[in-house]
Amino acid sequence: MDDVVFTFFGGPRSYTGEDVLEISCHGNPFIVRKVLDDLLARGCRMAEAGEFTRRAFLNGRLDLTAAEAVMDVIRARSDRALEAARLQLRGALGRRIDRLVGDLLQCCATVEAYIDFPEEDLPVEDRMRRRADLAALLAEIGGLRATRRHGDLLREGLRVVLLGAPNAGKSSLLNRLAGYDRAIVSEEPGTTRDFLEEPVLLGPHRIRVFDTAGLREAGGAVERAGVERSLERAEEADLVVLVVDATAPCPTLPQLVRDRLATHAAVLAVNKCDLPERHFEWPFTATLARVEVSAQTGAGLDELRRVLIERADRITGTGSDEEHVAVNARHAVALAEAEECLRRADRLLAEEHPLELVGSEMRLAVGALGAIVGRIDHEAILDRLFASFCIGK
Amino acid sequence: MSPFSKSSPYDVIVCGAGHAGIEAALAAARMGARTLLLTGNMDTIGQMSCNPAIGGVAKGHIVREIDALGGEMAINSDVTGIQFRLLNASKGPAVQSPRAQCDKKAYQFRLKHTLELQANLSVFQATVSGLILDAGRVVGCRTALDVDFYGHTVVVTTGTFLRGLMHIGSNKTEGGRMGDFSARTLSGSLIEAGIQLERLKTGTPPRLLGRSIEFSRLQEQRGDAQPTFFAFHDTRDDAELFHVEHPGQERLGWRPGDRQVSCWITYTSEESERIVRENLHRSAMYSGEIVGVGPRYCPSIEDKFVRFADKERHMLFLEPEGRHTGEYYVNGLSTSLPFDVQIRLIQSIPGLERAEVLRPAYAVEYDFAPPTQLRPSLESKVVPNLFFAGQINGTSGYEEAAGQGLVAGVNAVQRVRGGEPLVLGRHEAYIGVMIDDLVTKGTQEPYRMFTSRAEHRLLLNHGSADVRLLPHADRLGLLSSTRLARTRIKRDSIEQWVDRLNREAAVGGTWGDALRRNYPVVLPSAFEAESSQVREEVKYRVLYQGYLERELRLVERLREVDRIRVPESIDYLTIPGLKRESALKLAATKPTTLGQASRISGVNPSDISLLMVSIARRVES
């Protein structure tokens, strides 16, 4: 991932008075994110705002000199953090988060209305509608969570891997996409033994196209190692283009490739469609995007570019109908927490558990989103409640 | 020695004998403090100025907490109740709550008699005209009779009486309640002492004559066949019919749950809406006569038709005011329309076409003292030894008032004795949530308790109030030794059964697993032999185990900051780095703990960090 420096501060003489491990990594935001994601996956959690100072305080470690220095840092850091958070939440992301919080509060208010005002003439309680509300909230949270990678993808470039049997024409296709002869093309199958990487501009996207060694079972040790590496590339790829030869029968594909073909992150390019003999028959019924091309004549290349752009849009969330947003690690953690609460709320509704438990989960979800937009006072739920229901005795 | 003597002051003087004042006076006297309760009118002690009911969701929880802390409201409601219903039975055990219609007269007569019989307590009819201050502290109060009363502490529970102004259409009458007076000079005295006052508004619907109502055309709402009571001890036992802890002469009341009466439901008509709309300009609220802010949860009928225009009709409850009266309270028809419009409006309602009005609806505006001027003990930050409780703190409701009154009474005694005040946590009691909200955030409308205000409401189920609050009742001596012992036994049985059901094997795991998975199991017969209170609480704790543990973890995380005290002398404006805006908010509220500081709206975590550093620095130097 990165070469990092670990610095261990043993308690009680550390800043907080507890054992502290500092990890210094390279400043690249992509690396920082990777490190952070890895730590979170291993069970670490983000510090709450002010948590380090609080721990230092509770452990009696905030002495006079430290205090002087710390005050300036807290102010400066919180100003910066505030500014950064404000910038992040400006524009499309801010609007979507606001709408999400609003919808969640509204759903909460509806549940609370039935709890706090049983004597009122409210519409009949409708658990199916609450579940529909929750489904909509979950879909939006899922959508927002999925944008977590968008920022990195845009910065780093989408990885598109050309995969296929030897001599299917992967290298010719790379040259076509790159616009010049990047790869050595030869009649001899298996010319590309390792992989080649080439940056290519594709509409609004900067992508990295990888040409890989052809997949075949036979061959020498060197070639088998090449196949291995091709599959590794494919596994990491954001998008796989399976290149097949229209004049040859369908090749046997490793399971990994077949799995990938079942997702949206794959395109089938049937090459050599200019040649008269056709032996290729697609054996799968999947709704895989299929483009007929000829790397030789350039036929179908525009269509392939169009399909690739459409897929890239989908993956990076830069589709024309929706504004581009990307959540950061902190947002993603909060969204995941809210998602979990709402899933539990939905299950409680489905299984006919008391409404008070549903309400309890929903309020935890509100609390989780507070980590993004700042503490949400429970008064906000009451505001919605009184605005939506005629309560009054 | 004369009770009026300056040289032998009372421990506690309570001004006002409403729901707050009564609990304050009883709590103080029962703790053994020399207490004086002043009321403007002996005949309206414990008056239910609005609806003839106690309890309901969240409010009923408060009443049970009052009982757990030795207060009077629960038992008084039980023995003067004429209809009992458990609300929210289907929404889950934590938000279920008892509610009772009470006989208004019996309710107040019994309270009056209880006060008369209470040792250490004197009751006297006098209008308080002002505070007596000495070197900035309160030392007593002055009455309209020009008699001065001296006390170490004073609890102000004046309700809506401070510059009360009633509105019916364009008609304005001074008074805190129809038929009663308005305390005019006390406001001035409070302002002079440095206490800030603002205006609020509330309202009450008309009362109708029973024999003029066609009940056959209304929908009947009966009480529960198995009534749920507020008091934790069984008041139906003949030997305990009247308050077992405070024996004395026989007091008014009956076997709780006996001879229940019904409420009746009807709806407004299209004609009602037309009448209201055509006369909006004559409503005190819509013509701009009223400046005070009214509660959103208790809108006038004008508001309902205007703000929720798509709603065809509005539900109304006719509630009987007692056994020995034909007066009915029209719940849901609060209004400040003029009297002639009120009559036409009522007669447009099915079943009420020939109804006779006994008392008109009216709106009332009054002074309240924004409660952010109080400490969590309900003592004024401005005037030492002065406590506030009830509607003067901007709340609404008998139960909210009584809960505060009890806390203020206890804390006045603790002030005199130099003891630790009673401050209930948000995870311990609805009363704790209410007081924390009031002193931390203040209120913009009459504050009413809702379960949604309590973030840890799963911990605050009504059935656990006695066990939950036992440590406080014990420490402060609020319960008799008999009751303390009984509650301890109850607590121990609950804990033992929870432990046993979670340990002992049954079908497909432990008893607890079986209950949580809703398997049909026959629980041990020894368990079924326990009281229903014990069984219900055990089942609640077993069924909700995971949820309750999660709540407790959340509470624990917050508790450490709640334990850190903020020095009173701290000058927020001089804390380096603290934004002026935050400093002003903190200075206005003067939080007592870091936890409270963090709950002030607009105060963010970095402000709290700065505050922490600043506290650490003071400790250091």
Side-chain angles (χ1 to χ4, degrees), chain B residues 76-84 100-103 254 257-258 323:
Chain B
N76 205 64
S77 306
D78 283 350
V79 300
T80 64
I82 52 178
Q83 189 208 63
F84 294 86
Q101 298 295 141
C102 291
D103 183 304
W254 40 80
D258 271 6
R323 289 202 197 283

Side-chain angles (χ1 to χ4, degrees), chain B residues 296-356:
Chain B
R296 287 173 298 176
Y297 49 83
C298 195
S300 61
I301 195 73
E302 295 95 299
D303 257 351
K304 290 188 200 176
F305 280 125
V306 171
R307 290 191 43 229
F308 295 92
D310 54 331
K311 210 161 177 218
E312 280 169 32
R313 55 181 202 173
H314 296 280
M315 189 160 67
L316 304 171
F317 287 83
L318 297 181
E319 303 178 11
E321 296 231 332
R323 289 202 197 283
H324 308 289
T325 174
E327 197 168 347
Y328 276 80
Y329 175 95
V330 192
N331 200 340
L333 201 69
S334 190
T335 180
S336 64
L337 284 164
F339 191 52
D340 61 305
V341 184
Q342 287 187 25
I343 290 179
R344 276 195 286 145
L345 171 60
I346 287 160
Q347 294 181 346
S348 72
I349 295 164
L352 305 183
E353 288 87 348
R354 279 181 290 280
E356 286 176 36

Side-chain angles (χ1 to χ4, degrees), chain B residues 19 50 83 123 149 219 278 295 315-316 334 337 340 351 403 416 439 484 500 509 513 520 541 602 604 618:
Chain B
H19 305 278
C50 202
Q83 189 208 63
V123 188
F149 293 90
Q219 186 187 323
E278 277 176 10
M315 189 160 67
L316 304 171
S334 190
L337 284 164
D340 61 305
V416 175
V439 303
L484 279 176
R500 213 180 132 185
D513 295 331
R541 290 198 195 177
N604 61 44
R618 290 165 61 99

Side-chain angles (χ1 to χ4, degrees), chain A residues 35-67:
Chain A
V35 172
L36 203 56
D37 281 349
D38 186 57
L39 291 173
L40 291 173
R42 287 167 194 270
C44 293
R45 68 165 172 81
M46 299 284 229
E48 291 160 19
E51 185 167 353
F52 282 96
T53 311
R54 189 172 77 229
R55 288 185 181 216
F57 179 88
L58 291 168
N59 293 322
R61 287 294 298 165
L62 276 185
D63 60 40
L64 195 56
T65 40

Side-chain angles (χ1 to χ4, degrees), chain A residues 77 81 105:
Chain A
R77 203 170 46 201
L105 286 174

Side-chain angles (χ1 to χ4, degrees), chain B residues 343-551:
Chain B
I343 290 179
R344 276 195 286 145
L345 171 60
I346 287 160
Q347 294 181 346
S348 72
I349 295 164
L352 305 183
E353 288 87 348
R354 279 181 290 280
E356 286 176 36
V357 178
L358 290 175
R359 305 178 204 226
Y362 60 90
V364 58
E365 275 186 291
Y366 53 96
D367 285 344
F368 82 107
T372 46
Q373 303 172 91
L374 301 175
R375 299 170 199 282
S377 64
L378 295 179
E379 184 179 359
S380 166
K381 290 175 197 160
V382 187
V383 183
N385 300 355
L386 181 65
F387 293 76
F388 288 86
Q391 243 167 328
I392 191 165
N393 286 341
T395 60
S396 151
Y398 314 138
E399 304 83 353
E400 286 86 345
Q404 292 168 65
L406 192 146
V407 169
V410 168
N411 287 336
V413 177
Q414 290 300 90
R415 189 76 166 99
V416 175
R417 295 181 178 167
E420 191 65 19
L422 170 62
V423 177
L424 298 168
R426 297 183 68 92
H427 61 287
E428 281 182 307
Y430 276 92
I431 297 175
V433 173
M434 167 174 65
I435 294 178
D436 183 63
D437 277 350
L438 290 172
V439 303
T440 307
K441 297 185 206 157
T443 187
Q444 267 71 56
E445 66 181 334
Y447 178 101
R448 171 175 154 186
M449 186 43 83
F450 305 112
T451 69
S452 47
R453 294 195 195 271
E455 60 276 33
H456 306 298
R457 72 179 165 203
L458 293 182
L459 298 176
L460 304 182
N461 59 315
H462 75 84
S464 71
D466 56 345
V467 171
R468 230 190 302 137
L469 298 175
L470 177 64
H472 294 289
D474 198 357
R475 170 175 81 88
L476 296 159
L478 299 175
L479 296 177
S480 69
S481 52
T482 341
R483 251 191 91 185
L484 279 176
R486 219 185 304 181
T487 313
R488 281 195 204 103
I489 292 169
K490 180 179 166 186
R491 177 199 59 198
D492 295 345
S493 314
I494 290 169
E495 284 170 4
Q496 281 158 15
W497 275 116
V498 169
D499 184 55
R500 213 180 132 185
L501 294 186
N502 275 328
R503 238 171 347 97
E504 282 181 16
V507 201
T510 62
W511 293 108
D513 295 331
L515 283 172
R516 283 186 287 269
R517 288 172 201 150
N518 204 13
Y519 290 157
V521 283
V522 182
L523 292 170
S525 57
F527 177 73
E528 298 299 346
E530 291 281 356
S531 72
S532 65
Q533 285 187 16
V534 169
R535 275 182 285 137
E536 274 164 34
E537 181 61 14
V538 168
K539 281 187 192 161
Y540 179 71
R541 290 198 195 177
V542 169
L543 277 173
Y544 275 31
Q545 193 178 33
Y547 295 96
L548 299 178
E549 280 168 3
R550 184 172 73 185
E551 290 295 331

Side-chain angles (χ1 to χ4, degrees), chain B residues 9-283:
Chain B
Y10 285 97
D11 290 321
V12 181
I13 299 178
V14 180
C15 308
H19 305 278
I22 288 169
E23 297 293 352
L26 287 175
R30 287 170 181 175
M31 284 172 80
R34 262 190 77 221
T35 309
L36 170 68
L37 176 61
L38 295 172
T39 171
N41 185 350
M42 288 293 286
D43 290 328
T44 53
I45 284 176
Q47 169 94 316
M48 298 168 123
S49 316
C50 202
N51 64 334
I54 296 285
V57 181
K59 289 164 168 279
H61 288 85
I62 292 179
V63 182
R64 302 218 77 185
E65 290 169 3
I66 290 171
D67 188 59
L69 295 169
E72 195 66 24
M73 181 170 254
I75 172 96
N76 205 64
S77 306
D78 283 350
V79 300
T80 64
I82 52 178
Q83 189 208 63
F84 294 86
R85 290 196 310 124
L86 181 66
L87 303 187
N88 266 351
S90 67
K91 311 275 169 60
V95 297
Q96 281 174 12
S97 198
R99 182 181 195 274
Q101 298 295 141
C102 291
D103 183 304
K104 252 186 193 179
K105 282 295 160 197
Y107 188 90
Q108 67 174 116
F109 283 148
R110 189 186 172 281
L111 279 178
K112 177 169 180 269
H113 200 181
T114 302
L115 294 170
E116 290 164 2
L117 292 172
Q118 180 61 49
N120 305 320
L121 178 64
S122 313
V123 188
F124 189 67
Q125 176 169 305
T127 305
V128 175
S129 55
L131 300 175
I132 307 172
L133 300 179
D134 182 14
R137 331 180 134 251
V138 71
V139 293
C141 38
R142 188 149 288 160
T143 63
L145 303 169
D146 289 331
V147 181
D148 293 346
F149 293 90
Y150 290 90
H152 294 297
T153 57
V154 172
V155 184
V156 179
T157 57
T158 47
T160 58
F161 279 66
L162 290 189
R163 291 196 295 168
L165 185 61
M166 295 173 291
H167 298 259
I168 302 176
S170 59
N171 175 282
K172 289 196 256 310
T173 320
E174 280 188 20
R177 172 174 56 221
M178 201 52 82
D180 269 306
F181 63 98
S182 160
R184 258 178 299 176
T185 56
L186 187 53
S187 287
S189 172
L190 291 174
I191 292 169
E192 250 170 59
I195 289 154
Q196 188 199 328
L197 299 180
E198 285 172 22
R199 296 290 268 178
L200 278 177
K201 176 237 130 185
T202 189
T204 193
R207 316 296 202 266
L208 307 179
L209 178 61
R211 66 177 167 81
S212 66
I213 300 169
E214 278 181 80
F215 290 106
S216 59
R217 299 185 51 203
L218 308 181
Q219 186 187 323
E220 185 171 7
Q221 188 186 47
R222 291 170 179 275
D224 293 343
Q226 290 291 323
T228 307
F229 300 116
F230 294 106
F232 279 97
H233 54 287
D234 193 347
T235 44
R236 282 169 303 177
D237 185 339
D238 270 339
E240 301 190 21
L241 183 51
F242 300 106
H243 207 310
V244 280
E245 311 310 330
H246 311 284
Q249 288 158 263
E250 190 173 292
R251 273 165 257 190
L252 189 61
W254 40 80
R255 272 174 78 92
D258 271 6
R259 294 182 294 132
Q260 293 195 51
V261 301
S262 295
C263 292
W264 303 86
I265 298 170
T266 182
Y267 295 88
T268 57
S269 64
E270 279 175 35
E271 176 69 1
S272 317
E273 177 164 8
R274 199 186 56 74
I275 293 168
V276 168
R277 286 191 178 279
E278 277 176 10
N279 292 284
L280 268 185
H281 61 285
R282 298 180 62 199
S283 154

